[in-house]
Amino acid sequence: MMAPAYVGWIAIFGFAIMLATGIWLEEPQRILNKATRICLDCMGIG
Amino acid sequence: MMRRRIQLLCVFLLNCWWAFPFSRSIYRGPLKSVCVPGLNCDSCPAAVGACPLGAIQRLLAAVRPGMAAGGFQPGAYVLGMLGVIGSVVGRMPCGWVCPFGLLQELIYKLPAPKRQIAAIWRYGKYLALVVAVIGLPLLLVDEFGYGAPWFCKYICPAGTLEAGLPLMLLKPELRQMIGLTFMIKLLVLALLLIWMSITCRPFCRTICPLGAIFALFNRISLFRLTHDAMRCTRCGACETDCPMGLQPWRHANQTDCIRCLKCMQSCRFDAISWQFADMPHNSIKADRSPPIALLTRIDN
C-alpha cells in the first residue's frame, strides 16, 4: 500500500526542518572534527 | 548502461582526494562535514565526505558526555539529510550512488554458482541498524560515558576494504596495532566477497543499516515505480533481472527495491514505469502493444 504523494511532501518538509536544526546546532562542525581524524575503530584496530 | 556510468561517476566524486599517496593520510577539508548518501568510509584515504552511519554512531556514542557538558547533539543533521533524500527518492541511492553497491554488482559478474537467499534474512539489516548502529553505541559505555561505533568496529566491510587495508599500506606503523578485531573484520570482508560472487548484493539485502534507513522511505517517497497489471504477462523477466531478487510484478515498491530501474528495462510490454509526485513518466511507447495473452484474457 503506497502512501499518497502529500505524505512524501510532508516528510520532506519535516526532515528539512530537522536538517536545518542540525546545521543551526553546528552538528556539521562536529562531524567534520570526527571525520577528519583516522577512525581506528573503522579499520578494526581501535 | 547509464546507471553504471553514474555509479562510476559517484565512486569518483566521493573519492576524489588523489593526493593521499603524497600526504600519506586522509582528506581533512571542509567537505568532510557533508554526509554522503552511500556506504563510503570517511577514513578511506581518497574519501572527501563523511559516512552517515559512522556519523550517527559517533554522535550516539558521545551523547552522555555531551549531555553532561550541556551540549546535547541529537543527530538532527544526519537524520534530516537522510530523511530528505529518502523522502524524495527512497532507496535509490543504494542503486545509483553507493560505491559498495557497485562493488557487489561487479563481483556478482564473476563466474560462480548463483544462489538466492531466503526472504527472512532481509530483516537482518534492521537488526543491524537497531542493535549495532543505535543500541550498542548508545547503551554500552566506558567509565567516561563514551560508547563505541559497534557497526564500524566489528562489522563494516567497507571500512576494512576502503580504510583498513589502504591505510595499512600507507602507514606501516599501523600494522603493529593489528589484533583480533582486525582479523575478525578481515574474515567478515572475505566471506562477504565470496558471498557477493554467489548472490547479487548480499550485503545490501541482509546487513546494510543505511539501506535499512532508506528502505523505510520506499512507500512514501515522491519517486516511485508503477506496475500496470493490464500490460503485465507475469513472464518473470523483471524478477530475473532484479539485483535484489524481488518480484516487481507483485509489488513495484517493496522496501528492498533500490530503484535501479532494471525491471523497467527488462519488461518488453512497458508494464513497469515510474512516477514522481503522482506525475507519471510517459515512457509508454506506441509500438509496444498490450500482450496477446492479456487480450485473450480480456476476451474471455
Side-chain angles (χ1 to χ4, degrees):
Chain A
M1 185 67 184
M2 293 298 293
Y6 69 82
V7 176
W9 287 113
I10 293 170
I12 291 170
F13 183 68
F15 282 111
I17 291 174
M18 197 184 259
L19 177 65
T21 308
I23 293 170
W24 179 62
L25 289 172
E26 297 182 344
E27 282 183 14
Q29 190 57 42
R30 287 182 187 249
I31 288 169
L32 179 70
N33 289 341
K34 303 263 186 186
T36 48
R37 280 181 247 160
I38 291 176
C39 172
L40 296 179
D41 281 326
C42 302
M43 296 170 62
I45 58 174
Chain B
M1 200 63 190
M2 185 182 75
R3 187 174 72 95
R4 188 67 82 227
R5 285 181 191 146
I6 291 175
Q7 282 179 303
L8 290 168
L9 180 69
C10 287
V11 169
F12 176 74
L13 289 176
L14 301 184
N15 299 283
C16 59
W17 176 249
W18 288 99
F20 70 84
F22 310 105
S23 68
R24 301 181 81 79
S25 192
I26 63 172
Y27 169 74
R28 297 177 198 277
L31 284 174
K32 271 282 170 79
S33 63
V34 180
C35 291
V36 299
L39 200 69
N40 197 59
C41 185
D42 44 43
S43 284
C44 169
V48 292
C51 171
L53 288 180
I56 291 172
Q57 288 173 85
R58 287 178 207 130
L59 285 170
L60 291 175
V63 155
R64 293 181 195 207
M67 285 176 81
F72 176 59
Q73 296 291 320
Y77 170 68
V78 187
L79 293 178
M81 192 209 68
L82 294 178
V84 168
I85 294 171
S87 303
V88 176
V89 292
R91 214 180 155 177
M92 202 174 207
C94 302
W96 293 74
V97 178
C98 182
F100 208 68
L102 173 64
L103 175 76
Q104 291 176 83
E105 287 184 5
L106 295 178
I107 290 179
Y108 185 66
K109 289 183 181 293
L110 294 174
K114 306 299 178 190
R115 295 275 184 278
Q116 286 292 343
I117 48 173
I120 187 114
W121 292 105
R122 296 180 188 279
Y123 295 103
K125 57 183 174 293
Y126 299 104
L127 191 70
L129 173 65
V130 173
V131 176
V133 176
I134 299 170
L136 294 176
L138 190 64
L139 300 175
L140 279 187
V141 295
D142 60 15
E143 64 267 35
F144 304 107
Y146 285 99
W150 282 72
F151 182 79
C152 294
K153 192 170 182 175
Y154 294 105
I155 301 173
C156 186
T160 317
L161 185 67
E162 298 170 5
L165 295 174
L167 283 172
M168 291 286 174
L169 293 173
L170 284 175
K171 291 177 170 288
E173 64 271 22
L174 289 176
R175 290 177 211 161
Q176 297 164 1
M177 299 167 72
I178 291 176
L180 180 65
T181 315
F182 183 76
M183 292 303 171
I184 291 170
K185 283 198 73 175
L186 216 51
L187 181 67
V188 170
L189 174 65
L191 291 174
L192 271 169
L193 288 173
I194 294 168
W195 197 7
M196 286 173 200
S197 67
I198 299 168
T199 305
C200 192
R201 287 181 171 258
F203 181 77
C204 306
R205 294 190 199 191
T206 61
I207 304 170
C208 184
L210 187 60
I213 294 172
F214 282 133
L216 300 174
F217 293 94
N218 261 12
R219 299 273 168 91
I220 65 161
S221 63
L222 296 181
F223 182 94
R224 57 185 64 170
L225 297 181
T226 57
H227 173 250
D228 186 347
M230 295 298 285
R231 287 179 167 268
C232 180
T233 59
R234 300 182 183 178
C235 63
C238 53
E239 188 179 338
T240 307
D241 283 357
C242 180
M244 296 294 280
L246 302 175
Q247 296 175 319
W249 58 273
R250 277 189 195 274
H251 193 313
N253 290 286
Q254 294 173 55
T255 50
D256 270 339
C257 175
I258 55 170
R259 273 88 190 264
C260 64
L261 307 184
K262 266 193 170 181
C263 54
M264 204 173 111
Q265 291 166 353
S266 62
C267 183
R268 289 179 296 146
F269 306 112
D270 290 324
I272 298 173
S273 184
W274 58 265
Q275 64 179 34
F276 189 83
D278 285 346
M279 287 181 287
H281 165 238
N282 190 17
S283 68
I284 309 298
K285 296 173 184 67
D287 58 341
R288 292 187 179 188
S289 53
I292 294 168
L294 168 72
L295 295 174
T296 313
R297 207 159 50 198
I298 292 169
D299 289 340
N300 292 337

